[in-house]
Amino acid sequence: MGAKGCTLISPDLQGFKVEKNHIGFLSQDESVEVLAPASSGVIVIAGVKIDAGMMEVHLTGGGGYLFNNAFNIGVITAETDLLFKLGENFTMGPRAGIVFYEPTWTAEDGEVTLTSDEPGAIFGLGGYYSWNGSKIRVGGNIDYQTGKIEVETDDGWTANDYNLDLSGIAIRFGAAFSF
């Protein structure tokens, strides 16, 4: 079991904007714009480690949230790591998985509904370090992660993009505990 801080850097997010144009002398236009290409948060994971001689196989699942200034993204993952033992205390290797997204609009302004009907994929490289005999491991991974969010607006609001591509680099660092 463990927890990792995660940052998803997705270039398509930066500049995503919803706005409502008012017509009239005293009205003021309203808008909400995603200010950065990154969403950050925490993912909690649990799973099974299989020791296979010169390598370890990690089968994990987890969930958490990623945040930016306009919306939150609930995340559920299922992942497999094939980690080669590179010495007594260090493992590293490829990883792959599937990710499900549940986005929620959280900005004060905007009549916006976000949905994600298709799972994304995770492909990357992970590694862990443990101290001699310790049940605590620190590590992380760098992944290419895919995903899409569909945008719907209402009540006169418009978006500059109705299909957000979440594809980008996910960076995770954290700790894992063995029992």
Side-chain angles (χ1 to χ4, degrees):
M1 181 168 174
K4 293 181 178 180
C6 180
T7 298
L8 174 60
I9 303 167
S10 177
D12 202 33
L13 290 182
Q14 186 167 11
F16 170 68
K17 184 177 185 177
V18 295
E19 59 189 348
K20 184 174 186 177
N21 296 317
H22 296 280
I23 299 173
F25 180 67
L26 297 176
S27 332
Q28 185 175 12
D29 292 345
E30 301 173 74
S31 69
V32 177
E33 183 173 354
V34 175
L35 301 176
S39 299
S40 297
V42 174
I43 297 176
V44 177
I45 58 172
V48 176
K49 175 179 86 170
I50 301 166
D51 193 336
M54 293 299 295
M55 85 179 194
E56 296 176 355
V57 178
H58 294 199
L59 304 172
T60 59
Y65 279 95
L66 299 174
F67 305 94
N68 64 40
N69 67 298
F71 56 90
N72 298 339
I73 307 170
V75 177
I76 297 173
T77 67
E79 303 167 17
T80 301
D81 295 36
L82 302 174
L83 302 171
F84 296 93
K85 294 179 181 176
L86 305 174
E88 190 174 322
N89 300 323
F90 186 66
T91 58
M92 188 166 89
R95 45 184 272 107
I98 189 168
V99 59
F100 297 90
Y101 300 102
E102 187 63 40
T104 305
W105 187 257
T106 57
E108 286 185 27
D109 294 326
E111 293 293 324
V112 179
T113 302
L114 305 173
T115 57
S116 181
D117 296 332
E118 298 178 18
I122 300 170
F123 302 100
L125 183 66
Y128 287 96
Y129 178 82
S130 62
W131 293 267
N132 289 335
S134 175
K135 298 287 185 181
I136 300 172
R137 308 170 99 193
V138 294
N141 42 281
I142 299 175
D143 301 322
Y144 180 74
Q145 191 166 313
T146 67
K148 295 193 181 302
I149 293 178
E150 294 177 15
V151 179
E152 294 179 23
T153 58
D154 197 10
D155 196 27
W157 286 84
T158 58
N160 64 345
D161 192 348
Y162 288 90
N163 294 295
L164 287 176
D165 186 356
L166 292 179
S167 298
I169 301 297
I171 302 169
R172 299 185 201 172
F173 290 100
F177 310 93
S178 298
F179 299 103

